[in-house]
Amino acid sequence: MASSLYGSVYCGAPALPGTLAERFNLDPVLIVALAAIALLHLVANRRAGQPLASAAGGWAIAAAALISPLCALSVSLFAARVAQHMILLLAAAPLIAAPLPRWRAIRRPSFLWSATIAFFVLLWFWHMPTPYEATFRSPIIYWAMHISLGGSGVALWAALLRQHSARALAAGLITSIHMGLLGAIICLASWPMYRPHYATSQAWGLSPLADQQMGGVIMWVPGCLIFLWIALRTVSAMWRALEEAPV
């Protein structure tokens, strides 16, 4: 099973402790694509008079998550794959989304709810055992996961950072709850659900179940706290608007 499973995985063979520092992902297609997209984003921001630091930082974090040895480690450990996802969704995505041009569509309630639903569906879908395992069998499926998850994360952050209403409050709370629930289900499961890591986690001193539990916690706690912060930020903005409204 191991040879057929890992032969076509994008990040290569499972990383071992002694070789991890050497396992950078120097895929030229990925590096050129990231550089081109980041450059286009920065040029668009400059023309729109938007700050450049946030977007540059977001793309640098995304590049680090995809190019660093974390890519190879995510083949060995479910917890590393979840950590990679959380870095992209909770660190890179909001920094990329914050300075996006202020398109009118992003401020529409329909955009907010579409982004919320898309993020919910994609987060749960790609962390179900069967789709998750499929990402180890095909680089196309691997990138379909990252692009769809990352895109939905940027869209959701773009809406949440620009809308300060009861709808944004509800969307932030819903996202916080369902991300925390998924992390809790993964963490509290009594059996290891992710077959790609059955034979690879022991090299890192973890059983498959312990690795899975660690991944569940990594999703559970940060996801709840960050989206809860968005909800509280929305409440604060709504409260300020009430105070400043003419009596």
Side-chain angles (χ1 to χ4, degrees):
M1 192 269 284
S3 60
S4 62
L5 180 58
Y6 300 115
S8 61
V9 68
Y10 174 75
C11 292
L16 296 173
T19 63
L20 181 63
E22 306 166 4
R23 295 289 303 277
F24 281 86
N25 174 24
L26 301 179
D27 179 2
V29 175
L30 171 63
I31 293 171
V32 170
L34 283 172
I37 295 169
L39 181 60
L40 288 172
H41 187 187
L42 293 173
V43 169
N45 278 7
R46 185 171 184 178
R47 288 178 177 173
Q50 295 281 67
L52 303 183
S54 176
W59 287 111
I61 291 171
L66 296 169
I67 293 173
S68 75
L70 183 60
C71 181
L73 186 60
S74 71
V75 182
S76 297
L77 296 176
F78 174 74
R81 174 68 69 87
V82 175
Q84 185 184 46
H85 289 172
M86 294 303 102
I87 290 169
L88 292 170
L89 295 173
L90 302 180
L95 290 173
I96 292 169
L100 282 175
R102 298 182 180 278
W103 295 307
R104 186 176 299 176
I106 296 177
R107 297 179 177 274
R108 292 174 181 166
S110 59
F111 185 92
L112 171 66
W113 290 119
S114 297
T116 301
I117 292 168
F119 183 76
F120 165 72
V121 171
L122 290 166
L123 183 73
W124 282 71
F125 174 78
W126 288 117
H127 290 91
M128 293 296 102
T130 299
Y132 181 88
E133 183 174 333
T135 66
F136 285 77
R137 298 189 182 279
S138 165
I140 294 174
I141 297 176
Y142 175 87
W143 281 113
M145 171 194 65
H146 273 304
I147 292 170
S148 61
L149 260 182
S152 68
V154 170
L156 179 57
W157 278 108
L160 289 174
L161 292 171
R162 285 164 177 77
Q163 299 190 30
H164 306 293
S165 63
R167 289 184 293 268
L169 171 62
L173 285 173
I174 289 169
T175 303
S176 180
I177 290 168
H178 81 69
M179 182 177 277
L181 178 61
L182 177 58
I185 290 171
I186 292 171
C187 177
L188 300 176
S190 59
W191 55 280
M193 299 185 291
Y194 301 99
R195 290 198 308 163
H197 306 293
Y198 281 5
T200 59
S201 61
Q202 289 92 342
W204 294 89
L206 296 169
S207 68
L209 184 58
D211 173 33
Q212 178 177 304
Q213 290 168 339
M214 186 182 298
V217 170
I218 290 171
M219 182 184 294
W220 187 354
V221 178
C224 279
L225 292 179
I226 291 180
F227 281 102
L228 204 54
W229 170 77
I230 280 287
L232 293 174
R233 178 178 175 271
T234 302
V235 169
S236 177
M238 292 169 62
W239 186 260
R240 285 197 305 271
L242 287 173
E243 288 183 332
E244 294 169 0
V247 179

